[in-house]
Amino acid sequence: MRRRHATAPGRGRVIGTWLTRHAGWCLAASLALHLLAVVVSPPAPLDLRVYREASPLVLTGGLYDFQLHTAPPIPVLPFTYPPFAALAFLPLARLPWTVVVALWQAASVAALAVVAGCAARLLCAGRDRPARSRVLLWTAAGLWLEPVRHTLDQGQVNLLLCAVVLAAFAAPLTPAARGAALGLAAAVKLTPAFGGLYLLATRQWRAAAWAWTAGVGATALAWLIAPRESARYWFGLVTDTQRIGPAWSVRNQSLRGALDRLLGPDALASVAWWTGLVLVTVVAAGALWSAVRRHDLLGVLVATELYGLLVSPISWSHHWVWCLPTMMWLAHGPGRRRMLHRVTLAAWALATVGRLIPLLIRAEDRLPHPRPYPALLAWPGAAYAVCAVLSLLAVAASREEAPGRMPAHLSPARV
């Protein structure tokens, strides 16, 4: 028995060494399997169709009257992004549909590699060059995480925006370029705006000011081009979550969605909702303070983005592409040998690689009456929210100091 236990770590090291030496082949095999999956079961990127077909209406009117008719349980898909997003998507309307799908798939997969590379760079705070094998292996594995698969299948913009945000924070850019990239990403889709908390937490005041300027400037440009659509969106539709989809569905992995399924439709007005919101905010603040104190840049970004996904009214499962940087931090960041980190990493792997949410969605869609929501679906349906809270606790609990000093372009003292 002792001999068996003694050889287990050795086997793990052997496997790790083999994977490191063959990282390029692992990525090639993962990409080949992805292409095979696309050929055998071609995706139906409905969200990409909405981007392409609705975007020209920003110039002629009726952008927010557009509806792509699909099938139950969500029979229609409207355009739900700010008007600036429609302007950004306009080139898609000029290309053949097959070309749009191919280019979007290729760009999204490339964005996944950028996400892994930039997360690895933030992980070492730019002091050392991130190991190429680590980036390749995480890119290969990332292709099979449920939020990434869902993003690719639906033709969503999540991976592209995630890559823009991470590149802005990890690349040696000026504060103006860093902030402008974040501001433009937030002008396309509101969720990247939580990256502003990263700039504030790391005292990058000039970059934060540029992010605000770029976001407001892009919104103002869209207002000049499409004043009626801009007024409709910012004075009404931006807060209309019912238009986006059913908040109670297991597709929605935010704190609100989890509580709505567990406690019923009155959860928002209940003590439980406000208590949960306060507790999550306190934990996120503790995680930010702990990560900033030890110069853990990826920890800071993970904390801000997970907090944003938790407190947003709607966080569809495909919004959770930030699980990849989170899993990289848990596997390689400070405190990676702690039990909490290992348990949280295993929970993320079970939920995302095991495709738990799609299984629950199929079960939910077969329900004749989803109200009251069945407890057997509601509890596992809180998987991403639970993983996010555990990740915030792991960031807050880490005490290991990052060695050395941050490079000049990433140091708060410089910005």
Side-chain angles (χ1 to χ4, degrees), residues 7-392:
T7 58
R11 290 175 182 172
R13 283 193 293 269
V14 169
I15 294 173
T17 301
W18 188 90
L19 289 174
T20 299
R21 290 178 178 175
H22 299 85
W25 287 107
C26 291
L27 177 58
S30 182
L31 289 172
L33 287 174
H34 169 67
L35 289 175
L36 179 62
V38 170
V39 171
V40 173
S41 180
L46 297 178
D47 289 328
L48 183 57
R49 279 189 60 190
V50 173
Y51 301 161
R52 180 175 179 266
E53 295 178 17
S55 58
L57 298 177
V58 72
L59 302 176
T60 60
L63 176 64
Y64 296 108
D65 296 320
F66 174 87
Q67 291 183 337
L68 178 66
H69 292 274
T70 58
I74 303 178
V76 294
L77 293 177
F79 188 86
T80 59
Y81 296 171
F84 180 77
L87 295 177
F89 295 144
L90 271 176
L92 300 178
R94 298 286 184 178
L95 299 174
W97 173 241
T98 304
V99 174
V100 170
V101 173
L103 290 178
W104 198 268
Q105 280 273 324
S108 296
V109 172
L112 179 66
V114 172
V115 168
C118 291
R121 184 178 178 85
L122 284 180
L123 195 59
C124 61
R127 285 178 293 269
D128 304 304
R129 189 180 183 87
R132 179 172 174 269
S133 58
R134 178 179 296 177
V135 175
L136 295 178
L137 288 173
W138 277 106
T139 303
L143 267 174
W144 304 100
L145 303 179
E146 186 274 331
V148 173
R149 300 305 305 171
H150 197 177
T151 292
L152 292 171
D153 291 342
Q154 292 294 318
Q156 261 284 340
V157 74
N158 303 306
L159 283 170
L160 300 178
L161 294 180
C162 184
V164 168
V165 172
L166 271 162
F169 295 158
L173 303 175
T174 64
R178 196 175 307 143
L182 176 62
L184 292 176
V188 171
K189 192 171 183 176
L190 298 180
T191 48
F194 284 96
L197 293 176
Y198 172 90
L199 297 178
L200 297 177
T202 54
R203 294 183 291 150
Q204 300 187 47
W205 313 122
R206 290 171 58 192
W210 275 105
W212 184 87
T213 302
V216 172
T219 301
L221 174 63
W223 204 297
L224 288 174
I225 297 174
R228 180 175 175 273
E229 302 307 307
S230 296
R232 288 183 65 189
Y233 181 80
W234 293 109
F235 292 149
L237 297 179
V238 67
T239 58
D240 186 5
T241 57
Q242 293 183 351
R243 185 172 179 271
I244 300 174
W248 54 263
S249 173
V250 75
R251 295 168 175 83
N252 180 18
Q253 285 293 299
S254 69
L255 179 64
R256 169 183 169 177
L259 290 177
D260 197 2
R261 290 187 293 275
L262 289 168
L263 304 178
D266 296 330
L268 273 180
S270 70
V271 175
W273 159 248
W274 293 107
T275 302
L277 181 61
V278 170
L279 289 177
V280 165
T281 302
V282 169
V283 173
L288 281 175
W289 181 86
S290 178
V292 169
R293 180 174 174 271
R294 63 177 181 268
H295 305 308
D296 179 6
L297 295 180
L298 185 58
V300 175
L301 186 57
V302 162
T304 58
E305 295 296 340
L306 291 183
Y307 176 70
L309 289 169
L310 280 170
V311 301
S312 295
I314 301 288
S315 291
W316 302 130
S317 66
H318 55 72
H319 291 172
W320 291 80
V321 292
W322 285 96
C323 67
L324 177 59
T326 302
M327 295 171 73
M328 292 178 67
W329 182 88
L330 290 167
H332 307 293
R336 56 191 172 275
R337 295 181 179 86
R338 287 172 172 258
M339 181 59 67
L340 175 60
H341 291 62
R342 293 178 176 180
V343 169
T344 305
L345 179 60
W348 275 116
L350 286 173
T352 57
V353 179
R355 297 183 63 80
L356 173 62
I357 304 305
L359 291 175
L360 295 175
I361 289 174
R362 285 195 286 272
E364 177 187 279
D365 290 346
R366 290 195 294 267
L367 293 175
H369 304 288
R371 295 313 220 168
Y373 205 88
L376 289 177
L377 297 182
W379 285 103
Y384 288 1
V386 170
C387 288
V389 171
L390 289 175
S391 300
L392 291 176

